[in-house]
Amino acid sequence: MAATITFFPVGNGDMTLIKLNDKAKTTILIDLNLRNSSENENNEIVDVAPELRKRLNKDEKGRPYVNVFLLTHPDADHCTGIQKHFHLGPMSEYVSEPKEGEELKIIINEIWSSPMVFRRASKNHTLCDDAKAFNKEARRRVNYFRENKDSIIAKGDLIKIIGEDEGGKTDDIKEIVAEIDKKFNDINRETNSQISMYVLGPISKQEDEEKEKTLVKNHSSTIFQFSISADENNKDTCLFLAGGDAEVAIWEEIWKTYENKKDCLKYNLLLVPHHCSWHVISNVSWSENDDPEINKDALSALSEAKTGAFIVSSSNPIKDDDNDPPCIGAKKEYEKICNKKEINGKFYCTSEYPEEENPEPLEFTITADGPQAPAKKKRSISVVGINTSKEPLYHG
Amino acid sequence: MDEKFKCIIKQINAHPAVKEINQIEGTISSWSITAIFEVSLPSNCRASGVSRSGVHLYEPVTLQFSNNYPFKAPLIKLRKDFNRDLPHLNPKDSDEFVLPCVYDGDLTDLLHQGEGLNPILDQISEWLKKAASNTLIEPSQGWEPIRRDTLNHLIFFDLRSFRNLISKKVGSVFLLCDYIHYADFFSGKIENYKPQFCNIKFFKKNLFYKENGAQESGRSISLFAWPDSSKVSSNYFPENIRNLGELIARANDYGCTTFGEQLNLLYYELRKLNPKIEKLFVILCARRPYNLIGDESNLELIPYFIHLSTKQFDQLNLDSKVESVIHLHSKSPILFRKLSFGYDFNVNYGVAQIGCGSLGSKISLHLARAGHGPFWLYDKDFFLPHNLARHSLYYDGDWVPQYKADCLKKAISDLGQYAEAFHKDVIEHIITEGLPKTASIIIDSSASISVREFLMTLSEKKAPGKIVHTALYNSGKMGLMLIEGIKRNPRVDDLLVAFWDKSLEESSISKQLTTEESGFSRRSIGQGCGSYTMVMTDSRLSIYSAGMAERINDLFKEGDLNKGEICFGLLSENNMGVTWHREILEEAIILKESGWEIRILKKAAATIHEESQQTRKETGGILIGHIFPNRKCAVISRTLPPPPDSIFSDSHFILGTQGLKEQVRTIQDKSGRLLTYIGTWHSHPMGGGPSSQDLETLEKMRKLRLGAPTINLIYAPSKIFTFIDNGDF
């Protein structure tokens, strides 16, 4: 099967699955927003868990797993459902016979997570339960590594730290730190020929307190430029830029750093930051200003589109209103990038694909000529049937 | 325009991939609608609007509908300059439209999924998307061979045999090929894979042709050419070869560089022939970069048919007509195994079939169709008209009698499987000739107790295969299949007695064993001539034979022929099916004493052991089982505990009588008198064989048993002793 990148319709939230065209069909899940449709009164949440599960591989014992789970930052809309759907804790505690009505939990072979991002998020707001549980698991894995440095660490205990922690706290475990402004290509401790990751963020701890405060407020996130191959003969045919919820000050800073190394910002596929929030490209509010000014540097950082690039907003449907996120103003800016003649790209919103009434996962295929969007297809009558039965229809 | 076509246009217009309909043409018998499809292009090609494989952002697709729609899918046509080097294209002449193969199945079936025309439009959209990124072939699934399934002409040959001819160096061989030509239809068959000489002397001796009205048939020569091992063809070429010149060029494309000269050679020899042979098959080989879909090889064999006119020309006429041919696998056990199991497990399981009547013929043909064999078929009877009521074979009513075994042999041979038939009395035959050494299983469907009993007397050496006993009871109310274990243990008699023993707990079995109506009766098959047979329909018989063959198929597929098992099936209340039960029977303990063979089934042995362990005193009980007096064999299936008035002491055990009579009667009643009291057992905790007291008791029992043999066992710590009274046998 070809390599794919799938964006799941999870409303204002992120959940993206990269599946490589290597022998192992390696999977990298970026963020998670598996909400309970039963808990939602309007029943408007698409139940994406089965869609995720059917794309995952199973190990020799039939247990679903992801090779990597990358948490860009610990907000609820990026980690909801981790306790319900994923196994946290040592593998010896894995429940191989789940209770009736429950499914086997998904094993995370390796966690990718940034302690700096966690520190900043904790300063900004109280972490949700799922974030706390994730943090506990990440700490367990780090400690496990500290204690078992010289032995082979099994899948299920692996962790990679994205960016150094403050105060030299990760100096003793440099082996598992992926440094900022550098590329790495090992997954589950093995070099992978089908992908490499350039780490653009989080931005390291700032000496200047004010500057550090700004980063805290700007939803510090991991920022990656993934370089994904179609197959052994067609390498690096898809550059995929994904930066969590990072907002304007961060992108401004990124532009300053990479203005002269623009290759690091290029993309064939962009997941727009923070669910198409205006605050990603502007320092002022969308709703409170008639003509809010755009931060040109921040927008520049997100404008290095390659020809034919696809730009995806993982958000609620984008309406022409004061709402933010998603913000119509931001969408228009991204569309401007797509509409450049030399680009001729396309903008997608996960909640509007293929149509707002019934969104489904948006799966790009990585071909020798870059990512390719799904073929247009007619919705099945059965899908329409479910849709029709969603709300009462009054008859006179 | 009628409503049907208005509706078609509406559906096409509503499809999300369709930008617009730009042309509608109609005749009385068909309508063509050309719709512009928006293709999802890979990102790098979006700006230019055309993919590297030549697919445009907007592609016209013509759907040609016949009046039979929706019972015939539309023909899908792409523009005639569409890239023909892509896979998944149907073969047709190059100046016509390009025909994509958008669905791996019958397109018409897609119309009836409850979604109208949409599934076909979806397939077109998906096909165009994959064509745009040149991903119509998924390497992990394998190389898609050039599509040829819409052609008229056929050639049958075995792929594996052909591939075995291929060497690492470029080369070619000549093979004999039978052909038939009728109107527009050609069919050829290659069965002999021995390379032949290309000279007039050989041709004169072996090639021929005859005309019979419009039909021409004969034996011709075919040329098979392959490339050097270094030449890999990773490109698709359009299947548009029309003449010899193009074919030679294509052969060179594939690296079959000796093809041209060898064809010339062939031509000059063929010219010397009189009458002329002008029809030839040619097979080219292309080495693909990876294995073909569902195949274990990367060697694609591409057949063509040539009309070679040798009359008018002095040399090879490059304009000679060439047509593409569909390859079909010759019938073979391998092909059948692949179709039956999805793959070939590469093992030939030989089958000896004793009894080629209704049940035997059906089981054997099921197994032959699943690719098993060779077969050895035993039946001394003729196939008579009344046999047609229940049999897998047909019989043309010819008054010249034929043996059933011969009829079945012919049917199995027609399936491409080796078979031998024997029509001597099977017992006599086996006594003199033995059973085939390479038979993996020996199926007894003779419905003859004497055959069953005879087979029990054969040693493991004389019956090296696994014996499988099959039987139907009471007009097909119950079916039984007993499969022996390795080294004939458990043997059929063990399995049979264990099955009878089940009737004591399961009333459904008991009912069948005790019924007054056996289902057998004498049926007239001619005046003053009758057959003692079971009244039953052919269809009911098939329900059982299918289940039995399924189990044997599974055994072969699993490859584990070690365990013994009991399979019994009971007809459902509505007569429409059978519920089969299957259980493994463990090995029996075998004791030999005074010419007798005592076989203790595991359940009985376990009870004896447990009860002996529970006390330090002597204990014992009743042996329940069946005696086969003719061959001095007893099978013990269970024991009854000592009656409550029994006495246990350090030196002796006295078997009581309280309630015993009733218990034994119940056992006899439930099992249809197949199981009964056949003797006693008792323990000697301190060891040692029968005491004088034991022998006295045996004498006493002899009188009570009125001449029936008596089996007694002594369970001592180191050994089980037997002492037997033959009774009147």
Side-chain angles (χ1 to χ4, degrees):
Chain A
M1 290 298 286
T4 53
I5 301 179
T6 308
F7 300 92
F8 296 86
V10 292
N12 269 5
D14 276 2
M15 183 161 134
T16 311
L17 182 73
I18 301 175
K19 197 163 186 177
L20 301 180
N21 186 14
D22 55 356
K23 228 177 181 179
K25 305 289 159 211
T26 298
T27 47
I28 300 173
L29 181 66
I30 308 167
D31 293 341
L32 185 68
N33 194 22
L34 289 171
R35 302 160 293 171
N36 258 347
S37 56
S38 54
E39 287 167 17
N40 181 282
E41 279 179 11
N42 298 329
N43 203 17
E44 275 172 0
I45 293 174
V46 186
D47 189 8
V48 288
E51 290 287 349
L52 172 67
R53 281 178 179 269
K54 81 178 184 196
R55 287 168 169 82
L56 298 185
N57 303 311
K58 287 183 177 157
D59 69 6
E60 65 289 348
K61 289 181 181 164
R63 306 174 297 190
Y65 69 90
V66 290
N67 292 84
V68 172
F69 174 65
L70 163 63
L71 184 64
T72 60
H73 69 292
D75 283 0
D77 55 342
H78 293 252
C79 62
T80 290
I82 193 156
Q83 294 178 94
K84 187 178 168 194
H85 291 277
F86 287 73
H87 173 72
L88 303 176
M91 282 311 296
S92 57
E93 290 170 13
Y94 187 85
V95 180
S96 44
E97 281 171 18
K99 284 183 229 156
E100 215 186 310
E102 288 183 13
E103 284 179 281
L104 282 173
K105 289 200 172 175
I106 301 163
I107 296 167
I108 303 170
N109 284 1
E110 183 171 356
I111 281 175
W112 292 356
S113 167
S114 163
M116 271 318 294
V117 165
F118 255 89
R119 283 184 201 291
R120 288 172 182 150
S122 316
K123 279 178 196 161
N124 200 28
H125 58 267
T126 313
L127 297 184
C128 66
D129 284 348
D130 274 321
K132 283 179 190 158
F134 174 86
N135 198 20
K136 188 178 160 203
E137 173 64 3
R139 281 168 188 277
R140 180 191 73 80
R141 292 186 183 210
V142 170
N143 289 335
Y144 188 87
F145 177 76
R146 278 206 174 91
E147 287 159 17
N148 298 279
K149 260 188 189 178
D150 299 328
S151 36
I152 296 165
I153 294 177
K155 289 165 185 170
D157 289 325
L158 296 171
I159 185 160
K160 188 178 279 296
I161 290 170
I162 311 302
E164 289 171 10
D165 199 358
E166 62 182 21
K169 284 181 181 161
T170 46
D171 285 359
D172 63 329
I173 48 169
K174 281 217 156 82
E175 300 92 324
I176 55 167
V177 176
E179 287 179 54
I180 292 159
D181 197 25
K182 285 208 171 129
K183 200 183 243 189
F184 73 95
N185 67 350
D186 60 301
I187 288 176
N188 301 171
R189 295 287 150 86
E190 281 169 25
T191 305
N192 193 302
S193 64
Q194 301 288 307
I195 193 168
S196 64
M197 279 64 56
Y198 199 99
V199 186
L200 299 162
I203 292 168
S204 325
K205 169 89 179 176
Q206 301 292 302
E207 292 302 321
D208 180 345
E209 257 185 50
E210 277 310 307
K211 234 179 168 180
E212 180 61 28
K213 261 188 191 165
T214 313
L215 292 179
V216 168
K217 278 187 199 149
N218 274 262
H219 298 266
S220 183
S221 299
T222 64
I223 305 172
F224 278 56
Q225 184 202 39
F226 296 91
S227 180
I228 303 165
S229 303
D231 52 54
E232 279 304 324
N233 302 322
N234 297 283
K235 294 282 179 135
D236 305 319
T237 58
C238 177
L239 296 175
F240 169 42
L241 190 62
D245 281 0
E247 288 197 335
V248 60
I250 295 171
W251 293 106
E252 199 181 353
E253 190 64 30
I254 295 255
W255 182 247
K256 278 179 194 150
T257 314
Y258 293 97
E259 198 177 349
N260 298 316
K261 290 195 280 180
K262 290 197 189 85
D263 276 352
C264 298
L265 299 176
K266 295 254 184 250
Y267 61 84
N268 303 95
L269 184 56
L270 169 70
L271 174 61
V272 301
H274 204 182
H275 327 299
C276 208
S277 165
W278 180 249
H279 286 287
V280 170
I281 50 170
S282 171
N283 303 69
V284 292
S285 163
W286 169 253
S287 55
E288 290 165 18
N289 295 279
D290 288 343
D291 187 15
E293 194 185 344
I294 286 173
N295 181 314
K296 281 191 181 141
D297 282 356
L299 185 58
S300 295
L302 293 165
S303 299
E304 288 300 320
K306 297 185 72 152
T307 178
F310 297 105
I311 298 183
V312 178
S313 169
S314 184
S315 65
N316 290 334
I318 306 167
K319 309 283 182 197
D320 193 354
D321 56 17
D322 283 350
N323 195 39
D324 182 25
C327 169
I328 184 74
K331 176 185 170 177
K332 282 180 181 163
E333 291 306 318
Y334 295 121
E335 279 185 332
K336 274 186 204 162
I337 300 171
C338 292
N339 293 340
K340 283 184 197 163
K341 205 179 160 204
E342 70 277 17
I343 306 284
N344 193 17
K346 195 166 179 191
F347 182 90
Y348 285 91
C349 169
T350 52
S351 296
E352 296 170 11
Y353 175 80
E355 64 275 306
E356 201 181 311
E357 288 73 22
N358 207 26
E360 60 178 36
L362 169 59
E363 184 171 291
F364 289 89
T365 310
I366 311 305
T367 76
D369 297 315
Q372 188 180 21
K376 288 186 176 174
K377 290 186 182 171
K378 187 79 178 168
R379 303 315 291 276
S380 156
I381 289 175
S382 62
V383 170
V384 178
I386 288 168
N387 230 19
T388 316
S389 57
K390 265 189 195 167
E391 51 185 293
L393 300 173
Y394 295 93
H395 293 78
Chain B
M1 194 187 298
D2 70 10
E3 275 307 313
K4 190 158 78 176
F5 290 104
K6 280 185 192 158
C7 179
I8 291 170
I9 289 165
K10 200 171 158 194
Q11 281 185 67
I12 295 175
N13 257 326
H15 193 274
V18 172
K19 189 174 160 252
E20 63 192 20
I21 287 179
N22 80 339
Q23 203 177 353
I24 300 171
E25 285 176 336
T27 64
I28 292 167
S29 60
S30 81
W31 283 88
S32 277
I33 299 171
T34 303
I36 306 297
F37 272 70
E38 183 189 334
V39 183
S40 168
L41 295 181
S43 63
N44 295 353
C45 320
R46 288 180 57 86
S48 65
V50 52
S51 79
R52 272 202 288 165
S53 54
V55 180
H56 292 266
L57 178 60
Y58 297 110
E59 279 289 346
V61 179
T62 302
L63 293 114
Q64 187 182 312
F65 293 87
S66 71
N67 277 341
N68 293 337
Y69 178 86
F71 303 105
K72 177 112 181 65
L75 183 67
I76 302 161
K77 300 165 163 183
L78 303 174
R79 61 191 158 84
K80 58 184 169 190
D81 55 345
F82 194 89
N83 181 2
R84 284 159 198 271
D85 291 348
L86 290 171
H88 293 272
L89 292 176
N90 286 316
K92 274 285 161 177
D93 287 348
S94 63
D95 44 7
E96 292 179 28
F97 284 99
V98 172
L99 305 174
C101 179
V102 300
Y103 180 59
D104 191 14
D106 186 348
L107 211 54
T108 304
D109 285 350
L110 273 186
L111 280 176
H112 302 283
Q113 312 273 314
E115 309 269 350
L117 196 55
N118 287 324
I120 291 181
L121 301 173
D122 283 351
Q123 289 295 125
I124 296 172
S125 179
E126 183 69 26
W127 191 95
L128 287 169
K129 177 205 160 184
K130 288 184 169 164
S133 49
N134 204 358
T135 53
L136 284 164
I137 283 193
E138 180 63 63
S140 62
Q141 287 173 357
W143 181 275
E144 158 105 0
I146 300 169
R147 297 295 298 224
R148 302 170 98 80
D149 33 13
T150 55
L151 304 171
N152 269 338
H153 315 315
L154 312 173
I155 185 163
F156 297 79
F157 59 78
D158 177 49
L159 281 178
R160 211 179 277 189
S161 307
F162 251 85
R163 287 171 177 153
N164 285 342
L165 294 167
I166 298 171
S167 58
K168 283 191 170 174
K169 273 187 75 177
V170 59
S172 58
V173 288
F174 298 98
L175 299 170
L176 288 174
C177 176
D178 291 337
Y179 75 95
I180 190 161
H181 173 201
Y182 181 80
D184 278 346
F185 170 80
F186 294 94
S187 181
K189 180 176 74 171
I190 295 174
E191 280 183 325
N192 180 349
Y193 300 98
K194 192 180 154 215
Q196 306 292 357
F197 300 105
C198 179
N199 64 45
I200 181 67
K201 211 170 140 196
F202 176 81
F203 288 174
K204 271 187 178 162
K205 217 168 134 189
N206 290 281
L207 307 191
F208 64 87
Y209 90 104
K210 53 188 178 198
E211 279 174 339
N212 184 3
Q215 180 177 309
E216 180 193 330
S217 61
R219 178 163 296 161
S220 177
I221 200 92
S222 58
L223 173 56
F224 171 44
W226 60 87
D228 199 77
S229 61
S230 60
K231 171 68 186 174
V232 175
S233 303
S234 2
N235 282 341
Y236 259 90
F237 295 114
E239 195 50 273
N240 56 359
I241 305 290
R242 283 170 301 185
N243 61 45
L244 208 46
E246 289 172 356
L247 182 64
I248 293 170
R250 179 60 51 85
N252 285 330
D253 287 339
Y254 291 136
C256 304
T257 47
T258 58
F259 175 73
E261 73 193 51
Q262 291 297 309
L263 193 65
N264 250 312
L265 194 73
L266 179 60
Y267 179 78
Y268 284 112
E269 293 302 310
L270 283 178
R271 272 189 69 206
K272 298 176 197 163
L273 263 185
N274 200 6
K276 306 287 187 200
I277 299 272
E278 299 189 316
K279 308 271 186 329
L280 300 178
F281 283 102
V282 157
I283 295 114
L284 301 179
C285 169
R287 289 182 197 269
R288 299 305 189 183
Y290 33 87
N291 287 357
L292 310 188
I293 292 172
D295 204 331
E296 65 273 8
S297 168
N298 66 330
L299 302 170
E300 183 174 357
L301 304 181
I302 311 158
Y304 297 93
F305 189 85
I306 311 177
H307 304 244
L308 206 59
S309 171
T310 50
K311 286 168 202 150
Q312 298 158 308
F313 305 100
D314 292 341
Q315 54 185 8
L316 209 53
N317 173 19
L318 295 181
D319 288 331
S320 302
K321 191 176 176 191
V322 173
E323 293 186 69
S324 301
V325 178
I326 303 174
H327 164 255
L328 291 172
H329 298 288
S330 305
K331 62 189 175 192
S332 76
I334 295 167
L335 176 67
F336 299 156
R337 288 203 287 261
K338 282 185 176 172
L339 279 154
S340 302
F341 306 102
Y343 65 99
D344 177 20
F345 40 77
N346 277 321
V347 185
N348 295 315
Y349 288 105
V351 178
Q353 175 68 54
I354 298 172
C356 303
S358 50
L359 188 58
S361 70
K362 282 176 190 269
I363 295 174
S364 281
L365 267 188
H366 279 314
L367 296 177
R369 285 187 205 279
H372 304 309
F375 282 80
W376 295 270
L377 308 162
Y378 302 84
D379 201 313
K380 65 177 172 24
D381 289 340
F382 286 130
F383 196 7
L384 299 174
H386 78 281
N387 294 126
L388 283 167
R390 288 92 45 96
H391 210 276
S392 64
L393 299 181
Y394 303 93
Y395 162 69
D396 60 7
D398 196 340
W399 56 274
V400 182
Q402 295 172 57
Y403 285 108
K404 286 179 185 172
D406 285 342
C407 297
L408 189 55
K409 175 188 167 178
K410 182 174 182 309
I412 292 175
S413 306
D414 284 349
L415 292 171
Q417 182 58 268
Y418 179 81
E420 268 183 66
F422 307 95
H423 15 80
K424 237 167 114 179
D425 176 82
V426 65
I427 296 174
E428 280 173 33
H429 179 92
I430 295 171
I431 289 171
T432 54
E433 310 279 328
L435 278 159
K437 294 221 161 20
T438 48
S440 303
I441 57 163
I442 298 144
I443 305 173
D444 171 16
S445 311
S446 63
S448 154
I449 296 175
S450 64
V451 169
R452 184 192 82 199
E453 287 298 295
F454 168 72
L455 291 174
M456 292 312 99
T457 66
L458 297 178
S459 67
E460 191 197 326
K461 263 192 181 166
K462 286 219 166 143
K466 199 175 173 76
I467 293 185
V468 175
H469 174 80
T470 62
L472 298 181
Y473 292 73
N474 308 337
S475 296
K477 295 264 171 43
M478 181 167 77
L480 180 65
M481 181 162 74
L482 304 171
I483 303 173
E484 288 193 350
I486 192 169
K487 296 188 179 171
R488 303 216 66 189
N489 189 0
R491 208 167 58 184
V492 163
D493 45 2
D494 301 329
L495 294 156
L496 195 58
V497 172
F499 172 65
W500 292 337
D501 189 81
K502 291 184 77 61
S503 69
L504 307 186
E505 269 85 37
E506 293 190 29
S507 59
S508 53
I509 299 175
S510 175
K511 197 176 153 193
Q512 299 306 326
L513 293 180
T514 54
T515 177
E516 296 278 307
E517 305 155 18
S518 68
F520 275 101
S521 59
R522 193 177 165 80
R523 293 281 135 187
S524 169
I525 61 166
Q527 194 172 297
C529 172
S531 168
Y532 192 66
T533 184
M534 208 181 259
V535 173
M536 186 180 1
T537 59
D538 184 65
S539 42
R540 182 175 296 180
L541 209 139
S542 287
I543 306 179
Y544 286 98
S545 63
M548 290 170 175
E550 267 306 277
R551 182 61 202 138
I552 297 170
N553 275 326
D554 278 351
L555 283 176
F556 289 163
K557 196 175 155 191
E558 291 157 10
D560 180 6
L561 300 182
N562 292 336
K563 294 193 184 90
E565 60 185 61
I566 302 167
C567 306
F568 65 96
L570 295 164
L571 192 70
S572 64
E573 273 185 26
N574 56 26
N575 294 351
M576 290 169 74
V578 168
T579 306
W580 282 99
H581 305 266
R582 186 174 82 83
E583 61 187 61
I584 304 287
L585 185 71
E586 290 181 70
E587 288 171 23
I589 295 170
I590 303 162
L591 306 170
K592 303 227 169 160
E593 178 68 42
S594 326
W596 277 78
E597 184 182 38
I598 313 299
R599 303 178 72 91
I600 312 171
L601 302 187
K602 198 73 182 219
K603 188 168 78 176
T607 327
I608 291 172
H609 177 75
E610 274 166 32
E611 288 184 5
S612 306
Q613 298 299 308
Q614 274 171 15
T615 167
R616 300 178 84 172
K617 293 182 177 164
E618 284 196 20
T619 182
I622 314 297
L623 301 175
I624 300 295
H626 185 91
I627 293 173
F628 300 88
N630 291 334
R631 52 187 173 91
K632 288 196 166 182
C633 173
V635 180
I636 300 160
S637 66
R638 63 166 68 197
T639 62
L640 287 183
D645 56 336
S646 300
I647 295 168
F648 312 87
S649 85
D650 291 343
S651 60
H652 61 273
F653 161 67
I654 303 174
L655 182 71
T657 57
Q658 201 178 314
L660 195 55
K661 210 171 165 182
E662 289 72 22
Q663 282 193 64
V664 173
R665 179 163 292 153
T666 308
I667 287 173
Q668 289 186 342
D669 289 349
K670 283 188 173 175
S671 68
R673 297 182 168 259
L674 289 163
L675 296 181
T676 187
Y677 182 149
I678 62 167
T680 67
W681 76 276
H682 70 284
S683 66
H684 280 179
M686 307 306 284
S691 62
S692 54
Q693 172 77 61
D694 294 338
L695 297 173
E696 270 177 42
T697 304
L698 182 65
E699 190 58 29
K700 199 171 155 192
M701 280 178 77
R702 203 171 82 81
K703 285 177 189 154
L704 286 169
R705 287 179 62 78
L706 309 171
T710 307
I711 315 295
N712 285 335
L713 299 181
I714 294 170
Y715 189 80
S718 58
K719 176 176 180 191
I720 305 172
F721 296 92
T722 56
F723 55 112
I724 296 157
D725 179 74
N726 279 319
D728 296 339
F729 289 87

